[in-house]
PDB file of all heavy atoms in Angstrom:
ATOM      1  N   VAL A 643       6.233  -3.106  -6.777  1.00  0.00           N
ATOM      2  CA  VAL A 643       4.797  -3.369  -6.934  1.00  0.00           C
ATOM      3  C   VAL A 643       4.569  -4.914  -6.781  1.00  0.00           C
ATOM      4  O   VAL A 643       3.599  -5.331  -6.161  1.00  0.00           O
ATOM      5  CB  VAL A 643       4.357  -2.831  -8.336  1.00  0.00           C
ATOM      6  CG1 VAL A 643       2.937  -3.366  -8.597  1.00  0.00           C
ATOM      7  CG2 VAL A 643       4.346  -1.340  -8.324  1.00  0.00           C
ATOM      8  N   ASN A 644       5.432  -5.719  -7.472  1.00  0.00           N
ATOM      9  CA  ASN A 644       5.255  -7.138  -7.345  1.00  0.00           C
ATOM     10  C   ASN A 644       5.369  -7.669  -5.911  1.00  0.00           C
ATOM     11  O   ASN A 644       4.699  -8.576  -5.507  1.00  0.00           O
ATOM     12  CB  ASN A 644       6.254  -7.836  -8.225  1.00  0.00           C
ATOM     13  CG  ASN A 644       5.999  -7.651  -9.719  1.00  0.00           C
ATOM     14  OD1 ASN A 644       4.808  -7.472 -10.067  1.00  0.00           O
ATOM     15  ND2 ASN A 644       6.959  -7.734 -10.578  1.00  0.00           N
ATOM     16  N   ASN A 645       6.273  -7.098  -5.164  1.00  0.00           N
ATOM     17  CA  ASN A 645       6.370  -7.447  -3.736  1.00  0.00           C
ATOM     18  C   ASN A 645       5.098  -7.145  -2.947  1.00  0.00           C
ATOM     19  O   ASN A 645       4.700  -7.955  -2.097  1.00  0.00           O
ATOM     20  CB  ASN A 645       7.482  -6.644  -3.052  1.00  0.00           C
ATOM     21  CG  ASN A 645       8.919  -7.064  -3.531  1.00  0.00           C
ATOM     22  OD1 ASN A 645       9.855  -6.278  -3.519  1.00  0.00           O
ATOM     23  ND2 ASN A 645       9.085  -8.335  -3.834  1.00  0.00           N
ATOM     24  N   ILE A 646       4.476  -6.040  -3.287  1.00  0.00           N
ATOM     25  CA  ILE A 646       3.239  -5.672  -2.563  1.00  0.00           C
ATOM     26  C   ILE A 646       2.114  -6.609  -2.976  1.00  0.00           C
ATOM     27  O   ILE A 646       1.332  -7.055  -2.124  1.00  0.00           O
ATOM     28  CB  ILE A 646       2.842  -4.196  -2.885  1.00  0.00           C
ATOM     29  CG1 ILE A 646       3.768  -3.282  -2.105  1.00  0.00           C
ATOM     30  CG2 ILE A 646       1.380  -3.925  -2.567  1.00  0.00           C
ATOM     31  CD1 ILE A 646       3.452  -1.814  -2.214  1.00  0.00           C
ATOM     32  N   ILE A 647       2.034  -6.964  -4.264  1.00  0.00           N
ATOM     33  CA  ILE A 647       1.006  -7.885  -4.740  1.00  0.00           C
ATOM     34  C   ILE A 647       1.178  -9.214  -3.968  1.00  0.00           C
ATOM     35  O   ILE A 647       0.209  -9.909  -3.522  1.00  0.00           O
ATOM     36  CB  ILE A 647       1.084  -8.173  -6.253  1.00  0.00           C
ATOM     37  CG1 ILE A 647       0.882  -6.829  -7.005  1.00  0.00           C
ATOM     38  CG2 ILE A 647       0.086  -9.234  -6.676  1.00  0.00           C
ATOM     39  CD1 ILE A 647      -0.407  -6.159  -6.727  1.00  0.00           C
ATOM     40  N   GLU A 648       2.388  -9.689  -3.823  1.00  0.00           N
ATOM     41  CA  GLU A 648       2.679 -10.936  -3.122  1.00  0.00           C
ATOM     42  C   GLU A 648       2.351 -10.822  -1.640  1.00  0.00           C
ATOM     43  O   GLU A 648       1.780 -11.748  -1.015  1.00  0.00           O
ATOM     44  CB  GLU A 648       4.149 -11.292  -3.254  1.00  0.00           C
ATOM     45  CG  GLU A 648       4.546 -12.604  -2.608  1.00  0.00           C
ATOM     46  CD  GLU A 648       3.830 -13.813  -3.225  1.00  0.00           C
ATOM     47  OE1 GLU A 648       3.497 -13.782  -4.424  1.00  0.00           O
ATOM     48  OE2 GLU A 648       3.591 -14.829  -2.496  1.00  0.00           O
ATOM     49  N   ASN A 649       2.649  -9.608  -1.065  1.00  0.00           N
ATOM     50  CA  ASN A 649       2.302  -9.395   0.339  1.00  0.00           C
ATOM     51  C   ASN A 649       0.841  -9.423   0.591  1.00  0.00           C
ATOM     52  O   ASN A 649       0.335  -9.910   1.626  1.00  0.00           O
ATOM     53  CB  ASN A 649       2.868  -8.044   0.778  1.00  0.00           C
ATOM     54  CG  ASN A 649       2.822  -7.767   2.220  1.00  0.00           C
ATOM     55  OD1 ASN A 649       2.464  -6.724   2.679  1.00  0.00           O
ATOM     56  ND2 ASN A 649       3.185  -8.768   3.050  1.00  0.00           N
ATOM     57  N   ILE A 650       0.057  -8.819  -0.332  1.00  0.00           N
ATOM     58  CA  ILE A 650      -1.398  -8.890  -0.227  1.00  0.00           C
ATOM     59  C   ILE A 650      -1.919 -10.334  -0.188  1.00  0.00           C
ATOM     60  O   ILE A 650      -2.745 -10.708   0.658  1.00  0.00           O
ATOM     61  CB  ILE A 650      -2.099  -8.121  -1.437  1.00  0.00           C
ATOM     62  CG1 ILE A 650      -1.810  -6.654  -1.315  1.00  0.00           C
ATOM     63  CG2 ILE A 650      -3.583  -8.425  -1.442  1.00  0.00           C
ATOM     64  CD1 ILE A 650      -2.296  -5.831  -2.450  1.00  0.00           C
ATOM     65  N   LYS A 651      -1.314 -11.196  -1.061  1.00  0.00           N
ATOM     66  CA  LYS A 651      -1.723 -12.604  -1.095  1.00  0.00           C
ATOM     67  C   LYS A 651      -1.372 -13.298   0.215  1.00  0.00           C
ATOM     68  O   LYS A 651      -2.158 -14.093   0.748  1.00  0.00           O
ATOM     69  CB  LYS A 651      -1.051 -13.306  -2.247  1.00  0.00           C
ATOM     70  CG  LYS A 651      -1.533 -12.817  -3.605  1.00  0.00           C
ATOM     71  CD  LYS A 651      -0.759 -13.528  -4.734  1.00  0.00           C
ATOM     72  CE  LYS A 651      -1.195 -13.058  -6.113  1.00  0.00           C
ATOM     73  NZ  LYS A 651      -0.407 -13.684  -7.199  1.00  0.00           N
ATOM     74  N   GLU A 652      -0.207 -12.981   0.759  1.00  0.00           N
ATOM     75  CA  GLU A 652       0.235 -13.605   2.064  1.00  0.00           C
ATOM     76  C   GLU A 652      -0.730 -13.211   3.164  1.00  0.00           C
ATOM     77  O   GLU A 652      -1.096 -14.025   3.993  1.00  0.00           O
ATOM     78  CB  GLU A 652       1.636 -13.183   2.356  1.00  0.00           C
ATOM     79  CG  GLU A 652       2.702 -13.768   1.408  1.00  0.00           C
ATOM     80  CD  GLU A 652       4.049 -13.120   1.618  1.00  0.00           C
ATOM     81  OE1 GLU A 652       4.178 -12.182   2.401  1.00  0.00           O
ATOM     82  OE2 GLU A 652       5.032 -13.646   1.015  1.00  0.00           O
ATOM     83  N   ILE A 653      -1.122 -11.963   3.194  1.00  0.00           N
ATOM     84  CA  ILE A 653      -1.994 -11.479   4.213  1.00  0.00           C
ATOM     85  C   ILE A 653      -3.366 -12.091   4.101  1.00  0.00           C
ATOM     86  O   ILE A 653      -4.026 -12.511   5.082  1.00  0.00           O
ATOM     87  CB  ILE A 653      -2.123  -9.945   4.145  1.00  0.00           C
ATOM     88  CG1 ILE A 653      -0.775  -9.304   4.672  1.00  0.00           C
ATOM     89  CG2 ILE A 653      -3.319  -9.370   4.937  1.00  0.00           C
ATOM     90  CD1 ILE A 653      -0.719  -7.805   4.515  1.00  0.00           C
ATOM     91  N   GLU A 654      -3.865 -12.193   2.847  1.00  0.00           N
ATOM     92  CA  GLU A 654      -5.162 -12.859   2.644  1.00  0.00           C
ATOM     93  C   GLU A 654      -5.149 -14.320   3.089  1.00  0.00           C
ATOM     94  O   GLU A 654      -6.090 -14.831   3.738  1.00  0.00           O
ATOM     95  CB  GLU A 654      -5.568 -12.742   1.149  1.00  0.00           C
ATOM     96  CG  GLU A 654      -5.886 -11.340   0.706  1.00  0.00           C
ATOM     97  CD  GLU A 654      -6.265 -11.284  -0.764  1.00  0.00           C
ATOM     98  OE1 GLU A 654      -5.813 -12.151  -1.545  1.00  0.00           O
ATOM     99  OE2 GLU A 654      -7.033 -10.381  -1.157  1.00  0.00           O
ATOM    100  N   ASN A 655      -4.037 -15.014   2.774  1.00  0.00           N
ATOM    101  CA  ASN A 655      -3.969 -16.437   3.208  1.00  0.00           C
ATOM    102  C   ASN A 655      -3.897 -16.539   4.695  1.00  0.00           C
ATOM    103  O   ASN A 655      -4.481 -17.454   5.274  1.00  0.00           O
ATOM    104  CB  ASN A 655      -2.712 -17.064   2.529  1.00  0.00           C
ATOM    105  CG  ASN A 655      -2.839 -17.273   1.049  1.00  0.00           C
ATOM    106  OD1 ASN A 655      -3.979 -17.431   0.548  1.00  0.00           O
ATOM    107  ND2 ASN A 655      -1.756 -17.315   0.355  1.00  0.00           N
ATOM    108  N   ALA A 656      -3.143 -15.647   5.324  1.00  0.00           N
ATOM    109  CA  ALA A 656      -2.968 -15.700   6.775  1.00  0.00           C
ATOM    110  C   ALA A 656      -4.272 -15.371   7.515  1.00  0.00           C
ATOM    111  O   ALA A 656      -4.593 -15.962   8.556  1.00  0.00           O
ATOM    112  CB  ALA A 656      -1.835 -14.811   7.224  1.00  0.00           C
ATOM    113  N   SER A 657      -4.995 -14.378   7.018  1.00  0.00           N
ATOM    114  CA  SER A 657      -6.192 -13.917   7.656  1.00  0.00           C
ATOM    115  C   SER A 657      -7.468 -14.674   7.281  1.00  0.00           C
ATOM    116  O   SER A 657      -8.493 -14.590   7.972  1.00  0.00           O
ATOM    117  CB  SER A 657      -6.441 -12.436   7.352  1.00  0.00           C
ATOM    118  OG  SER A 657      -6.692 -12.229   5.990  1.00  0.00           O
ATOM    119  N   ARG A 658      -7.391 -15.391   6.183  1.00  0.00           N
ATOM    120  CA  ARG A 658      -8.549 -16.042   5.573  1.00  0.00           C
ATOM    121  C   ARG A 658      -9.640 -15.045   5.177  1.00  0.00           C
ATOM    122  O   ARG A 658     -10.861 -15.332   5.168  1.00  0.00           O
ATOM    123  CB  ARG A 658      -9.125 -17.058   6.542  1.00  0.00           C
ATOM    124  CG  ARG A 658      -8.201 -18.298   6.731  1.00  0.00           C
ATOM    125  CD  ARG A 658      -8.870 -19.419   7.485  1.00  0.00           C
ATOM    126  NE  ARG A 658      -8.938 -19.137   8.970  1.00  0.00           N
ATOM    127  CZ  ARG A 658      -9.653 -19.804   9.787  1.00  0.00           C
ATOM    128  NH1 ARG A 658     -10.479 -20.772   9.396  1.00  0.00           N
ATOM    129  NH2 ARG A 658      -9.624 -19.510  11.083  1.00  0.00           N
ATOM    130  N   LEU A 659      -9.204 -13.850   4.841  1.00  0.00           N
ATOM    131  CA  LEU A 659     -10.081 -12.815   4.346  1.00  0.00           C
ATOM    132  C   LEU A 659      -9.519 -12.256   3.018  1.00  0.00           C
ATOM    133  O   LEU A 659      -8.332 -12.457   2.736  1.00  0.00           O
ATOM    134  CB  LEU A 659     -10.158 -11.631   5.344  1.00  0.00           C
ATOM    135  CG  LEU A 659     -10.796 -11.916   6.703  1.00  0.00           C
ATOM    136  CD1 LEU A 659     -10.578 -10.711   7.587  1.00  0.00           C
ATOM    137  CD2 LEU A 659     -12.213 -12.272   6.568  1.00  0.00           C
ATOM    138  N   ARG A 660     -10.343 -11.594   2.262  1.00  0.00           N
ATOM    139  CA  ARG A 660      -9.926 -10.980   1.013  1.00  0.00           C
ATOM    140  C   ARG A 660      -9.873  -9.470   1.141  1.00  0.00           C
ATOM    141  O   ARG A 660     -10.823  -8.882   1.680  1.00  0.00           O
ATOM    142  CB  ARG A 660     -10.878 -11.396  -0.134  1.00  0.00           C
ATOM    143  CG  ARG A 660     -10.805 -12.868  -0.520  1.00  0.00           C
ATOM    144  CD  ARG A 660      -9.453 -13.153  -1.247  1.00  0.00           C
ATOM    145  NE  ARG A 660      -9.282 -14.579  -1.501  1.00  0.00           N
ATOM    146  CZ  ARG A 660      -8.527 -15.394  -0.794  1.00  0.00           C
ATOM    147  NH1 ARG A 660      -8.006 -14.903   0.288  1.00  0.00           N
ATOM    148  NH2 ARG A 660      -8.417 -16.619  -1.093  1.00  0.00           N
ATOM    149  N   CYS A 661      -8.770  -8.898   0.675  1.00  0.00           N
ATOM    150  CA  CYS A 661      -8.688  -7.428   0.713  1.00  0.00           C
ATOM    151  C   CYS A 661      -9.788  -6.887  -0.279  1.00  0.00           C
ATOM    152  O   CYS A 661     -10.018  -7.489  -1.330  1.00  0.00           O
ATOM    153  CB  CYS A 661      -7.330  -7.004   0.195  1.00  0.00           C
ATOM    154  SG  CYS A 661      -6.001  -7.301   1.447  1.00  0.00           S
ATOM    155  N   THR A 662     -10.315  -5.796   0.061  1.00  0.00           N
ATOM    156  CA  THR A 662     -11.361  -5.107  -0.742  1.00  0.00           C
ATOM    157  C   THR A 662     -10.893  -3.815  -1.347  1.00  0.00           C
ATOM    158  O   THR A 662     -11.582  -3.201  -2.236  1.00  0.00           O
ATOM    159  CB  THR A 662     -12.666  -4.942   0.029  1.00  0.00           C
ATOM    160  OG1 THR A 662     -12.358  -4.119   1.177  1.00  0.00           O
ATOM    161  CG2 THR A 662     -13.248  -6.267   0.498  1.00  0.00           C
ATOM    162  N   GLY A 663      -9.783  -3.270  -0.838  1.00  0.00           N
ATOM    163  CA  GLY A 663      -9.322  -1.989  -1.334  1.00  0.00           C
ATOM    164  C   GLY A 663      -8.014  -1.625  -0.849  1.00  0.00           C
ATOM    165  O   GLY A 663      -7.408  -2.248   0.042  1.00  0.00           O
ATOM    166  N   LEU A 664      -7.440  -0.580  -1.407  1.00  0.00           N
ATOM    167  CA  LEU A 664      -6.116  -0.060  -1.085  1.00  0.00           C
ATOM    168  C   LEU A 664      -6.166   1.352  -0.526  1.00  0.00           C
ATOM    169  O   LEU A 664      -7.117   2.080  -0.814  1.00  0.00           O
ATOM    170  CB  LEU A 664      -5.220  -0.026  -2.336  1.00  0.00           C
ATOM    171  CG  LEU A 664      -5.128  -1.253  -3.210  1.00  0.00           C
ATOM    172  CD1 LEU A 664      -4.474  -0.958  -4.518  1.00  0.00           C
ATOM    173  CD2 LEU A 664      -4.298  -2.326  -2.414  1.00  0.00           C
ATOM    174  N   VAL A 665      -5.237   1.636   0.368  1.00  0.00           N
ATOM    175  CA  VAL A 665      -5.062   2.972   0.907  1.00  0.00           C
ATOM    176  C   VAL A 665      -3.656   3.424   0.589  1.00  0.00           C
ATOM    177  O   VAL A 665      -2.723   2.808   1.095  1.00  0.00           O
ATOM    178  CB  VAL A 665      -5.349   3.047   2.414  1.00  0.00           C
ATOM    179  CG1 VAL A 665      -5.111   4.466   2.945  1.00  0.00           C
ATOM    180  CG2 VAL A 665      -6.790   2.611   2.727  1.00  0.00           C
ATOM    181  N   ASN A 666      -3.522   4.508  -0.141  1.00  0.00           N
ATOM    182  CA  ASN A 666      -2.208   5.097  -0.431  1.00  0.00           C
ATOM    183  C   ASN A 666      -1.932   6.080   0.717  1.00  0.00           C
ATOM    184  O   ASN A 666      -2.436   7.213   0.763  1.00  0.00           O
ATOM    185  CB  ASN A 666      -2.222   5.842  -1.712  1.00  0.00           C
ATOM    186  CG  ASN A 666      -0.855   6.423  -2.089  1.00  0.00           C
ATOM    187  OD1 ASN A 666       0.111   6.279  -1.349  1.00  0.00           O
ATOM    188  ND2 ASN A 666      -0.797   7.108  -3.186  1.00  0.00           N
ATOM    189  N   ASN A 667      -1.126   5.645   1.688  1.00  0.00           N
ATOM    190  CA  ASN A 667      -0.752   6.426   2.846  1.00  0.00           C
ATOM    191  C   ASN A 667       0.724   6.861   2.754  1.00  0.00           C
ATOM    192  O   ASN A 667       1.401   7.042   3.732  1.00  0.00           O
ATOM    193  CB  ASN A 667      -0.989   5.636   4.138  1.00  0.00           C
ATOM    194  CG  ASN A 667      -0.893   6.510   5.374  1.00  0.00           C
ATOM    195  OD1 ASN A 667      -1.351   7.662   5.334  1.00  0.00           O
ATOM    196  ND2 ASN A 667      -0.296   5.934   6.424  1.00  0.00           N
ATOM    197  N   SER A 668       1.170   7.040   1.558  1.00  0.00           N
ATOM    198  CA  SER A 668       2.561   7.408   1.298  1.00  0.00           C
ATOM    199  C   SER A 668       2.855   8.832   1.844  1.00  0.00           C
ATOM    200  O   SER A 668       2.165   9.803   1.503  1.00  0.00           O
ATOM    201  CB  SER A 668       2.887   7.393  -0.176  1.00  0.00           C
ATOM    202  OG  SER A 668       2.741   6.080  -0.691  1.00  0.00           O
ATOM    203  N   ASN A 669       3.883   8.913   2.669  1.00  0.00           N
ATOM    204  CA  ASN A 669       4.239  10.186   3.261  1.00  0.00           C
ATOM    205  C   ASN A 669       5.692  10.200   3.769  1.00  0.00           C
ATOM    206  O   ASN A 669       6.261   9.121   3.943  1.00  0.00           O
ATOM    207  CB  ASN A 669       3.266  10.577   4.362  1.00  0.00           C
ATOM    208  CG  ASN A 669       3.429   9.629   5.592  1.00  0.00           C
ATOM    209  OD1 ASN A 669       4.246   9.873   6.464  1.00  0.00           O
ATOM    210  ND2 ASN A 669       2.618   8.563   5.631  1.00  0.00           N
ATOM    211  N   LEU A 670       6.196  11.369   4.053  1.00  0.00           N
ATOM    212  CA  LEU A 670       7.498  11.486   4.670  1.00  0.00           C
ATOM    213  C   LEU A 670       7.382  12.241   5.981  1.00  0.00           C
ATOM    214  O   LEU A 670       8.178  13.061   6.367  1.00  0.00           O
ATOM    215  CB  LEU A 670       8.452  12.250   3.746  1.00  0.00           C
ATOM    216  CG  LEU A 670       8.876  11.548   2.483  1.00  0.00           C
ATOM    217  CD1 LEU A 670       9.674  12.470   1.530  1.00  0.00           C
ATOM    218  CD2 LEU A 670       9.714  10.315   2.785  1.00  0.00           C
ATOM    219  N   GLY A 671       6.304  11.931   6.722  1.00  0.00           N
ATOM    220  CA  GLY A 671       6.133  12.558   8.042  1.00  0.00           C
ATOM    221  C   GLY A 671       5.923  14.047   7.860  1.00  0.00           C
ATOM    222  O   GLY A 671       5.163  14.523   6.996  1.00  0.00           O
ATOM    223  N   ASN A 672       6.567  14.840   8.708  1.00  0.00           N
ATOM    224  CA  ASN A 672       6.441  16.317   8.677  1.00  0.00           C
ATOM    225  C   ASN A 672       7.000  16.956   7.425  1.00  0.00           C
ATOM    226  O   ASN A 672       6.744  18.174   7.163  1.00  0.00           O
ATOM    227  CB  ASN A 672       7.120  16.904   9.942  1.00  0.00           C
ATOM    228  CG  ASN A 672       6.388  16.557  11.214  1.00  0.00           C
ATOM    229  OD1 ASN A 672       5.187  16.397  11.217  1.00  0.00           O
ATOM    230  ND2 ASN A 672       7.124  16.381  12.295  1.00  0.00           N
ATOM    231  N   GLU A 673       7.761  16.187   6.648  1.00  0.00           N
ATOM    232  CA  GLU A 673       8.356  16.761   5.396  1.00  0.00           C
ATOM    233  C   GLU A 673       7.398  16.519   4.187  1.00  0.00           C
ATOM    234  O   GLU A 673       7.741  16.882   3.058  1.00  0.00           O
ATOM    235  CB  GLU A 673       9.651  16.071   5.126  1.00  0.00           C
ATOM    236  CG  GLU A 673      10.687  16.329   6.207  1.00  0.00           C
ATOM    237  CD  GLU A 673      12.037  15.693   5.926  1.00  0.00           C
ATOM    238  OE1 GLU A 673      12.252  15.173   4.803  1.00  0.00           O
ATOM    239  OE2 GLU A 673      12.904  15.679   6.822  1.00  0.00           O
ATOM    240  N   THR A 674       6.262  15.934   4.436  1.00  0.00           N
ATOM    241  CA  THR A 674       5.333  15.620   3.361  1.00  0.00           C
ATOM    242  C   THR A 674       4.714  16.884   2.852  1.00  0.00           C
ATOM    243  O   THR A 674       4.180  17.749   3.594  1.00  0.00           O
ATOM    244  CB  THR A 674       4.257  14.669   3.838  1.00  0.00           C
ATOM    245  OG1 THR A 674       4.803  13.510   4.395  1.00  0.00           O
ATOM    246  CG2 THR A 674       3.313  14.286   2.674  1.00  0.00           C
ATOM    247  N   ASP A 675       4.663  17.038   1.502  1.00  0.00           N
ATOM    248  CA  ASP A 675       3.867  18.104   0.885  1.00  0.00           C
ATOM    249  C   ASP A 675       3.105  17.502  -0.308  1.00  0.00           C
ATOM    250  O   ASP A 675       3.119  16.274  -0.508  1.00  0.00           O
ATOM    251  CB  ASP A 675       4.782  19.256   0.344  1.00  0.00           C
ATOM    252  CG  ASP A 675       5.830  18.791  -0.635  1.00  0.00           C
ATOM    253  OD1 ASP A 675       5.661  17.777  -1.243  1.00  0.00           O
ATOM    254  OD2 ASP A 675       6.865  19.541  -0.760  1.00  0.00           O
ATOM    255  N   THR A 676       2.409  18.349  -1.011  1.00  0.00           N
ATOM    256  CA  THR A 676       1.541  17.859  -2.087  1.00  0.00           C
ATOM    257  C   THR A 676       2.266  17.030  -3.119  1.00  0.00           C
ATOM    258  O   THR A 676       1.872  15.976  -3.586  1.00  0.00           O
ATOM    259  CB  THR A 676       0.773  18.957  -2.749  1.00  0.00           C
ATOM    260  OG1 THR A 676      -0.010  19.733  -1.785  1.00  0.00           O
ATOM    261  CG2 THR A 676      -0.149  18.521  -3.868  1.00  0.00           C
ATOM    262  N   ASP A 677       3.439  17.553  -3.491  1.00  0.00           N
ATOM    263  CA  ASP A 677       4.243  16.842  -4.547  1.00  0.00           C
ATOM    264  C   ASP A 677       4.728  15.472  -4.086  1.00  0.00           C
ATOM    265  O   ASP A 677       4.798  14.520  -4.891  1.00  0.00           O
ATOM    266  CB  ASP A 677       5.429  17.717  -4.930  1.00  0.00           C
ATOM    267  CG  ASP A 677       5.017  18.936  -5.770  1.00  0.00           C
ATOM    268  OD1 ASP A 677       3.963  18.895  -6.401  1.00  0.00           O
ATOM    269  OD2 ASP A 677       5.851  19.909  -5.831  1.00  0.00           O
ATOM    270  N   VAL A 678       5.050  15.366  -2.804  1.00  0.00           N
ATOM    271  CA  VAL A 678       5.526  14.089  -2.224  1.00  0.00           C
ATOM    272  C   VAL A 678       4.460  13.026  -2.454  1.00  0.00           C
ATOM    273  O   VAL A 678       4.756  11.867  -2.848  1.00  0.00           O
ATOM    274  CB  VAL A 678       5.829  14.252  -0.726  1.00  0.00           C
ATOM    275  CG1 VAL A 678       5.923  12.855  -0.042  1.00  0.00           C
ATOM    276  CG2 VAL A 678       7.162  14.969  -0.561  1.00  0.00           C
ATOM    277  N   ILE A 679       3.210  13.400  -2.279  1.00  0.00           N
ATOM    278  CA  ILE A 679       2.076  12.460  -2.439  1.00  0.00           C
ATOM    279  C   ILE A 679       1.780  12.229  -3.961  1.00  0.00           C
ATOM    280  O   ILE A 679       1.535  11.097  -4.386  1.00  0.00           O
ATOM    281  CB  ILE A 679       0.837  12.904  -1.691  1.00  0.00           C
ATOM    282  CG1 ILE A 679       1.159  13.079  -0.186  1.00  0.00           C
ATOM    283  CG2 ILE A 679      -0.300  11.909  -1.874  1.00  0.00           C
ATOM    284  CD1 ILE A 679       0.050  13.647   0.618  1.00  0.00           C
ATOM    285  N   LYS A 680       1.740  13.316  -4.720  1.00  0.00           N
ATOM    286  CA  LYS A 680       1.446  13.181  -6.147  1.00  0.00           C
ATOM    287  C   LYS A 680       2.372  12.280  -6.832  1.00  0.00           C
ATOM    288  O   LYS A 680       2.011  11.547  -7.743  1.00  0.00           O
ATOM    289  CB  LYS A 680       1.457  14.555  -6.805  1.00  0.00           C
ATOM    290  CG  LYS A 680       0.204  15.385  -6.503  1.00  0.00           C
ATOM    291  CD  LYS A 680       0.228  16.704  -7.362  1.00  0.00           C
ATOM    292  CE  LYS A 680      -1.090  17.477  -7.165  1.00  0.00           C
ATOM    293  NZ  LYS A 680      -1.035  18.739  -7.939  1.00  0.00           N
ATOM    294  N   ASN A 681       3.620  12.247  -6.399  1.00  0.00           N
ATOM    295  CA  ASN A 681       4.661  11.422  -7.022  1.00  0.00           C
ATOM    296  C   ASN A 681       4.366   9.932  -6.876  1.00  0.00           C
ATOM    297  O   ASN A 681       5.039   9.078  -7.507  1.00  0.00           O
ATOM    298  CB  ASN A 681       6.074  11.766  -6.474  1.00  0.00           C
ATOM    299  CG  ASN A 681       6.529  13.108  -6.965  1.00  0.00           C
ATOM    300  OD1 ASN A 681       6.096  13.610  -8.023  1.00  0.00           O
ATOM    301  ND2 ASN A 681       7.457  13.692  -6.207  1.00  0.00           N
ATOM    302  N   THR A 682       3.396   9.587  -5.986  1.00  0.00           N
ATOM    303  CA  THR A 682       3.181   8.143  -5.719  1.00  0.00           C
ATOM    304  C   THR A 682       1.880   7.652  -6.358  1.00  0.00           C
ATOM    305  O   THR A 682       1.550   6.500  -6.289  1.00  0.00           O
ATOM    306  CB  THR A 682       3.012   7.907  -4.159  1.00  0.00           C
ATOM    307  OG1 THR A 682       1.838   8.529  -3.693  1.00  0.00           O
ATOM    308  CG2 THR A 682       4.223   8.455  -3.419  1.00  0.00           C
ATOM    309  N   LEU A 683       1.108   8.580  -7.000  1.00  0.00           N
ATOM    310  CA  LEU A 683      -0.132   8.199  -7.594  1.00  0.00           C
ATOM    311  C   LEU A 683      -0.025   7.141  -8.696  1.00  0.00           C
ATOM    312  O   LEU A 683      -0.793   6.237  -8.831  1.00  0.00           O
ATOM    313  CB  LEU A 683      -0.887   9.424  -8.116  1.00  0.00           C
ATOM    314  CG  LEU A 683      -1.250  10.483  -7.029  1.00  0.00           C
ATOM    315  CD1 LEU A 683      -2.037  11.615  -7.670  1.00  0.00           C
ATOM    316  CD2 LEU A 683      -2.037   9.837  -5.902  1.00  0.00           C
TER     317      LEU A 683
END
């Protein structure tokens, strides 16, 4: 989680824009099911 927070800051600095939201696109491709996603909430 801390790595991601740092990554967000790096992207904001590089782009000179501020992030406004997150998208949880966690998946395992064709092996993804409901539980796979629920485990990331």
Side-chain angles (χ1 to χ4, degrees):
V643 170
N644 289 333
N645 288 148
I646 286 184
I647 300 303
E648 184 62 30
N649 190 224
I650 290 173
K651 293 178 181 178
E652 292 171 351
I653 287 172
E654 289 181 333
N655 288 335
S657 65
R658 292 189 281 166
L659 296 173
R660 290 290 175 261
C661 289
T662 58
L664 305 169
V665 177
N666 183 1
N667 193 38
S668 298
N669 68 86
L670 291 172
N672 292 327
E673 298 180 10
T674 306
D675 58 22
T676 301
D677 288 337
V678 164
I679 301 174
K680 281 185 175 180
N681 289 338
T682 69
L683 297 183

